[in-house]
Amino acid sequence: MAEDIKAKLENYRTAPFDARFPNQNQTRNCWSNYLDYHRCQKALDAKGADNAPCEWYRRVYKSLCPMSWIQKWDEQRAEGTFPGKI
């Protein structure tokens, strides 16, 4: 499975179609992948496992989300005021 994830990351170009978000507006897709990345990272850090599987979510949200949103959310997480449940 790890090889499959690594192969997908190597062939990654842009966010693939996600059936959960069929509309043109990808705001919710951006938000979900941002949360999924940080949840994945938190869960794997707690287990002491490698964070490589989380890399997929990071690449997707980096390609979908405006940098200003990412910076704002990172600042909010650092301050403890982030509205999402991670």
Side-chain angles (χ1 to χ4, degrees):
M1 183 168 157
E3 295 97 24
D4 186 39
I5 292 172
K6 288 180 183 177
K8 284 183 179 181
L9 286 173
E10 288 173 7
N11 296 328
Y12 182 85
R13 298 285 180 249
T14 187
F17 176 74
D18 189 340
R20 298 176 299 167
F21 310 103
N23 299 324
Q24 189 172 5
N25 186 344
Q26 293 295 302
T27 304
R28 190 167 291 157
N29 192 356
C30 158
W31 173 255
S32 293
N33 279 289
Y34 184 85
L35 290 179
D36 289 344
Y37 170 71
H38 290 288
R39 287 177 185 151
C40 176
Q41 199 172 36
K42 181 179 177 181
L44 292 181
D45 284 344
K47 293 180 183 178
D50 182 29
N51 287 344
C54 303
E55 188 66 18
W56 175 259
Y57 298 115
R58 188 185 71 78
R59 286 186 172 200
V60 171
Y61 87 72
K62 289 266 188 184
S63 70
L64 290 174
C65 302
M67 288 303 297
S68 61
W69 293 4
I70 295 170
Q71 290 170 349
K72 180 180 176 184
W73 295 337
D74 287 342
E75 289 171 5
Q76 288 176 337
R77 283 188 320 104
E79 295 169 358
T81 59
F82 184 69
K85 187 175 181 180
I86 296 177

